[in-house]
Amino acid sequence: MRTGRKTDKGFTLIEIVVVVAIMGILTGVIIASINPIQATAAKKAAVNTRDALLTGKQYCMTRGNNGTYMVLTRGDDLTADFYVNNKLADTRTISTRKVSVTFNNGTRNLTGDKLFVSFDKGSGAPEIFSTADSYRSVVKSGDPNSRVITIVAGGSTYEVSISGLTGRVDMVRK
């Protein structure tokens, strides 16, 4: 005798559509929540880069130019090393999260994973802003253009710039 119940154990088309729609909504929510986290990493890296440049400028202006400089290194982490009399004086981690960093000296992009930065003791203007293989081989630039470090993550772009004439360090979101 029939009881009127279905004995088929499959899913209906409506059930599958509902499950796919729920999965799509959850995926959208997760992706939307990840971008602000990555954008925060870019902002934090930009703020820390600005602070490191100001510290490097202070080192150069108070301790003299002879062998006083900083090195920004791109790798798994973004770090800043400060040298006084060609000896390592301090190291700071700028960002432990993956951020994209580019260096621009006036009108040209610089390649390399290390950026050497030194400031003039009198004016505070950047004397050296180069990705040369060694500090000693860097040719000083008299270019008055701004030097720019661009940091990108999570759809956010920040530029940390150094005035070529005064050494003023600014940070803007692009």
Side-chain angles (χ1 to χ4, degrees):
M1 182 154 137
R2 274 194 136 163
T3 60
R5 290 187 166 188
K6 271 174 120 177
T7 58
D8 187 16
K9 302 249 186 208
F11 295 105
T12 66
L13 182 59
I14 293 174
E15 291 171 329
I16 291 173
V17 168
V18 169
V19 168
V20 169
I22 290 171
M23 289 174 59
I25 292 170
L26 290 175
T27 302
V29 168
I30 290 171
I31 289 173
S33 66
I34 289 174
N35 274 344
I37 293 170
Q38 291 174 337
T40 302
K43 182 176 183 179
K44 184 176 180 183
V47 167
N48 290 343
T49 300
R50 182 195 63 204
D51 293 345
L53 288 168
L54 291 171
T55 300
K57 183 177 175 180
Q58 180 184 6
Y59 270 102
C60 290
M61 293 183 76
T62 58
R63 297 187 172 115
N65 289 6
N66 190 14
T68 304
Y69 58 97
M70 68 177 287
V71 179
L72 287 174
T73 305
R74 302 186 273 208
D76 292 337
D77 296 338
L78 182 62
T79 60
D81 297 323
F82 302 94
Y83 291 85
V84 176
N85 296 325
N86 292 319
K87 293 183 182 170
L88 184 62
D90 190 15
T91 297
R92 292 187 188 172
T93 301
I94 293 176
S95 177
T96 56
R97 294 192 179 163
K98 188 66 177 166
V99 293
S100 173
V101 181
T102 57
F103 308 125
N104 184 296
N105 188 357
T107 57
R108 68 180 207 269
N109 288 328
L110 302 174
T111 59
D113 290 332
K114 291 187 178 199
L115 175 71
F116 296 85
V117 183
S118 179
F119 295 91
D120 180 67
K121 183 174 181 159
S123 68
E127 278 194 324
I128 298 169
F129 192 92
S130 177
T131 55
D133 290 337
S134 102
Y135 173 73
R136 296 187 196 310
S137 68
V138 174
V139 177
K140 295 182 181 181
S141 171
D143 184 1
N145 292 326
S146 290
R147 280 76 172 147
V148 179
I149 300 170
T150 306
I151 300 169
V152 179
S156 293
T157 302
Y158 289 87
E159 287 185 352
V160 180
S161 63
I162 308 167
S163 168
L165 296 176
T166 63
R168 180 182 168 136
V169 179
D170 291 315
M171 182 187 88
V172 294
R173 182 175 182 183
K174 291 289 181 175

